[in-house]
Amino acid sequence: MNITIWNNTLVNYPDVKEWIQRNAKFDKFYIDKKDFYVNDLPLRYVDKITEVISELKGGIVQYKKQFLRLSTEEKDNEVRIHCDYTWGCRYAAVLHFSTSPNWHRAEGTAFYKHKIYGHELTYEYSDMADEILSDEHSIKTHWILDSIIGAKENRLLIYPCSYFHSRYPFKSWGKDKTDGR
């Protein structure tokens, strides 16, 4: 699998975290029969993250969609194995703004192999994306856990948007934006 892991992504990281804790307003967003809690990230931070990804990938990268996503013990904690193929992008990235209390025990971002389609949703199966992502995302017998990358504060993961992934474990930690995932 082609996953890039980069630690200490942002030079002025405390500023980003402070902005999230003071200013982020996570609105409920309903998609694929599920509630998500999201907020846009200010462009000054998006530009920095995009610059880091461009440097790592060896060329100019433009983002198509960016958002902060909050999950806690109570919010957004269901099984959601998915890929980001339907966003129309080449790469997806996850920047962890908190460290899992148990990150050393493999809590973070997990990657999966679907029993029929493999590690990623390829163009060949793109017409089945909605069915696979909406109907099969929570059927554990359809998926084989392949790898887990621990959630560590200021760690950036970059991977092809076609890879099947989820947060792991499915139930998050924390109570709100100051200590949640």
Side-chain angles (χ1 to χ4, degrees), residues 3-10 48-50 52-54 56 92-96 149 152-159:
I3 302 169
T4 303
I5 303 170
W6 190 257
N7 294 307
N8 301 317
T9 302
L10 299 174
K48 176 60 179 167
I49 294 166
T50 302
V52 169
I53 294 171
S54 294
L56 291 170
V94 173
L95 176 59
H96 291 283
I149 299 173
K152 193 171 180 186
E153 188 171 316
N154 208 12
R155 175 177 280 170
L156 176 70
L157 309 178
I158 306 167
Y159 47 89

Side-chain angles (χ1 to χ4, degrees), residues 82-92 120-121 159-165:
H82 66 283
C83 70
D84 299 313
Y85 183 84
T86 57
W87 290 97
C89 52
R90 188 169 173 197
Y91 293 103
E120 61 186 311
L121 184 65
Y159 47 89
C161 66
S162 56
Y163 282 10
F164 293 117
H165 63 282

Side-chain angles (χ1 to χ4, degrees), residues 115-134:
K115 289 192 174 182
I116 296 171
Y117 307 106
H119 287 100
E120 61 186 311
L121 184 65
T122 59
Y123 181 76
E124 172 185 4
Y125 299 111
S126 62
D127 61 332
M128 300 179 70
D130 290 335
E131 177 184 337
I132 295 167
L133 300 177
S134 296

Side-chain angles (χ1 to χ4, degrees), residues 39-124:
N39 188 102
D40 286 336
L41 188 61
L43 288 180
R44 67 182 180 270
Y45 303 127
V46 174
D47 290 344
K48 176 60 179 167
I49 294 166
T50 302
E51 181 183 309
V52 169
I53 294 171
S54 294
E55 189 176 308
L56 291 170
K57 290 299 176 187
I60 295 174
V61 174
Q62 295 179 328
Y63 71 91
K64 291 198 175 194
K65 181 67 179 155
Q66 59 79 21
F67 55 88
L68 297 170
R69 180 174 160 196
L70 174 68
S71 62
T72 66
E73 293 172 356
E74 302 298 323
K75 293 180 178 179
D76 188 12
N77 58 19
E78 299 173 13
V79 177
R80 291 201 185 130
I81 300 170
H82 66 283
C83 70
D84 299 313
Y85 183 84
T86 57
W87 290 97
C89 52
R90 188 169 173 197
Y91 293 103
V94 173
L95 176 59
H96 291 283
F97 285 101
S98 63
T99 299
S100 162
N102 299 305
W103 76 271
H104 58 285
R105 292 193 312 204
E107 289 189 2
T109 302
F111 293 89
Y112 298 86
K113 180 177 181 182
H114 188 277
K115 289 192 174 182
I116 296 171
Y117 307 106
H119 287 100
E120 61 186 311
L121 184 65
T122 59
Y123 181 76
E124 172 185 4

Side-chain angles (χ1 to χ4, degrees), residues 108-112 145-149 164-168 170 181:
T109 302
F111 293 89
Y112 298 86
L145 179 62
D146 184 70
S147 59
I148 303 168
I149 299 173
F164 293 117
H165 63 282
S166 76
R167 93 175 141 262
Y168 189 87
F170 302 118
R181 177 187 172 118

